[in-house]
Amino acid sequence: MGFGSVGDDEGSRCFNGGQLKLGWVMSRSNKSLGLEANQNRTPDNSNPTLVLVATLSATFGLLVVCLSGFIIWRRRNSREEAGNSQGGHFVDMAEGRIPNEYSRETFSGENRDRSQEFPSIQLDILHAATNHFSDEMKLGEGGFGPVYKGILPDGKEIAVKRLSRTSGQGLVDFKNEVMLIARLQHRNLVRLLGCCLEKNEKLLVYEFMPNKSLDVFLFNSKFAVQLDWQKRFNIIKGIARGILYLHEDSRLRIIHRDLKASNVLLDHEMNPKISDFGMARIFEDKNEANTNRVVGTYGYMAPEYAMQGLFSIKSDVFSFGVLLLEILSGKKNNSFHLSETGESLLAFAWKLWSKGEGMELIDRILALSCVASEVLKCIHIGLLCVQEDPADRPTMSSVIFMLASDGTISLPRPTEPAFSVGRVVSEPSEPMSNDGVCSVNEVTISNFSPR
């Protein structure tokens, strides 16, 4: 309903076809609108004014919404560009090279005078090499994400690790892995060739390992026959040399924190190469560190790390000990159990060794090819590595010395493992329901209980 001025003849006016009449009442003080003013007025323009104000308000509101959307879009793009820019500079000091025709740019930053630069490989090259990350090119999947086989135009085979968008490991772990492994050069560490940060993709490109990972051979009876004693002994020594390099011989002191069979890759000659450095940490002046975020795989974790978050080089030594006993027995620690006693692999190995029956631990496939003295020595070393007190565990340099010894030196007596890591007690009446539980690293875990 609107209000209009009053004409001097009638004093009132009809609106909406005469349906509404509104009279004006004159003010007693003559300060109201006078007749002369009313005579000079045109019909009221307040209705068009309201329409104009409403139109301007709506237009202004629309502009505010559009401007807000544009600002949000720009900020999001800026963050992505900043992330990609950071990804392009955090490896400018790294070593390694891939043929230049596959590299759009190198992560050289301000240091273009470096003799060796770490390349960023074009996304379209990796799409073509992996057949657009098709299932038939998929090699496996871990906590980081899927890994694909790729073939470059010149026939070179590569492995491409693709960060899953649903992975618990994000850009920080991605950068961490690149920064670490790109600066490490050792025959028992997998070689990183390049990486890619384009269109929200985070990809790592490695040398291709034709024999996949150690767990594929160890825990599959069909493939385990290919690992005779000499190959297993060489794998044990190769892993030990790789860990020693990380702990003592590289430019950095690095704690891997996720040593396990699936993170040991095998080349065409079955030489072991340690991979997956997404969980690794650099140590400088400290011998031990604490974390609130326990990552890795239960069954391989040292007790002080699993329970208190304390990790050190001795945490990796514990994981190596577990891995060594797995290589000897062909059994997984975090799924090993005896139906009657519920013993873990570590407890079982300790019991056999204490009774002088250590040879009963080994994979039956090794019966004809093994050297008893070397097997017993490896069991002894493995038990030394999994002792409760980190101070009692040997360093990796001591481990390598013991592995190379000819049996003339006496090894210290190990103490019983602190508890059963990966302990599972089998109940005949009910199936176990813990197999689906996942760790931070998205792998299957089992319960562990105090001794």
Side-chain angles (χ1 to χ4, degrees), residues 9 40 43 55 62 79 83 132 136 142 164 206 227 249 251 262 271 273 296 358 365 407:
D9 295 328
N40 295 330
T55 302
L62 182 62
R79 283 196 296 267
H132 301 283
E136 58 265 25
S164 171
Y206 292 94
L227 293 180
D249 296 338
R251 289 174 291 175
S262 60
N271 294 313
K273 293 178 182 285
I365 296 172

Side-chain angles (χ1 to χ4, degrees), residues 59-80:
T59 304
F60 178 75
L62 182 62
L63 287 174
V64 170
V65 172
C66 293
L67 182 60
S68 300
F70 176 76
I71 291 173
I72 293 172
W73 176 78
R74 282 297 301 164
R75 285 180 177 177
R76 183 176 299 172
N77 278 3
S78 297
R79 283 196 296 267
E80 291 177 358

Side-chain angles (χ1 to χ4, degrees), residues 149-200:
K149 179 181 179 180
I151 303 176
L152 297 175
D154 63 358
K156 182 181 179 64
E157 294 180 321
I158 56 174
V160 182
K161 186 188 287 189
R162 188 184 197 187
L163 176 65
S164 171
R165 294 181 182 179
T166 61
S167 170
Q169 298 169 259
L171 183 61
V172 173
D173 292 324
F174 177 91
K175 292 180 178 182
N176 188 57
E177 179 153 12
V178 175
M179 283 170 44
L180 288 176
I181 196 169
R183 299 167 67 180
L184 304 174
Q185 299 293 323
H186 191 273
R187 67 189 301 265
N188 294 117
L189 302 182
V190 69
R191 181 167 166 249
L192 185 65
L193 303 177
C195 65
C196 177
L197 284 168
E198 290 184 38
K199 298 181 180 179
N200 294 324

Side-chain angles (χ1 to χ4, degrees), residues 7 50 75 99 102 146-147 246 254 259 265 282 320 322 378:
L50 289 174
R75 285 180 177 177
Y102 306 130
V147 180
L246 295 176
I254 296 172
L259 288 169
L265 305 183
I282 298 174
F320 172 79
V322 175
C378 286

Side-chain angles (χ1 to χ4, degrees), residues 214-423:
L214 178 59
D215 64 320
V216 173
F217 286 85
L218 276 184
F219 310 129
N220 186 318
S221 57
K222 183 173 67 174
F223 298 115
V225 294
Q226 300 180 40
L227 293 180
D228 59 19
W229 170 246
Q230 195 55 52
K231 288 179 181 177
R232 296 194 194 204
F233 195 36
N234 288 337
I235 288 171
I236 290 170
K237 291 186 288 186
I239 296 170
R241 285 192 295 267
I243 302 172
L244 175 64
Y245 173 78
L246 295 176
H247 289 181
E248 300 182 24
D249 296 338
S250 68
R251 289 174 291 175
L252 307 168
R253 172 177 283 191
I254 296 172
I255 313 300
H256 189 282
R257 295 205 301 172
D258 197 23
L259 288 169
K260 56 183 177 180
S262 60
N263 283 341
V264 176
L265 305 183
L266 302 172
D267 66 11
H268 63 286
E269 295 180 344
M270 303 299 283
N271 294 313
K273 293 178 182 285
I274 299 170
S275 68
D276 201 340
F277 286 76
M279 304 299 175
R281 290 295 177 266
I282 298 174
F283 268 45
E284 294 179 356
D285 299 327
K286 299 182 295 181
N287 293 322
E288 185 179 68
N290 181 271
T291 180
N292 292 323
R293 182 189 177 214
V294 176
V295 296
T297 307
Y298 289 112
Y300 294 89
M301 286 185 185
E304 71 277 5
Y305 181 47
M307 297 298 189
Q308 305 172 48
L310 295 173
F311 64 94
S312 65
I313 60 173
K314 296 299 184 72
S315 306
D316 280 355
V317 171
F318 183 94
S319 301
F320 172 79
V322 175
L323 184 54
L324 192 159
L325 295 174
E326 288 184 336
I327 293 172
L328 296 175
S329 65
K331 305 293 183 182
K332 274 188 177 182
N333 182 46
N334 60 7
S335 62
F336 178 88
H337 64 275
L338 298 178
S339 59
E340 295 181 358
T341 61
E343 287 179 318
S344 72
L345 177 61
L346 306 188
F348 183 60
W350 164 261
K351 183 179 72 173
L352 292 177
W353 183 84
S354 299
K355 293 164 58 177
E357 300 173 356
M359 293 299 294
E360 296 296 320
L361 177 70
I362 67 168
D363 192 333
R364 293 185 178 181
I365 296 172
L366 302 177
L368 297 178
S369 64
C370 71
V371 179
S373 59
E374 292 178 341
V375 170
L376 294 173
K377 178 175 63 177
C378 286
I379 295 174
H380 195 148
I381 294 171
L383 291 172
L384 287 171
C385 291
V386 297
Q387 294 179 97
E388 177 181 8
D389 190 343
D392 292 338
R393 299 172 203 154
T395 62
M396 290 310 300
S397 57
S398 298
V399 167
I400 289 178
F401 176 75
M402 289 185 286
L403 287 172
S405 67
D406 57 6
T408 57
I409 64 169
S410 59
L411 304 182
R413 182 178 179 83
T415 58
E416 184 176 359
F419 59 81
S420 302
V421 182
R423 180 175 180 175

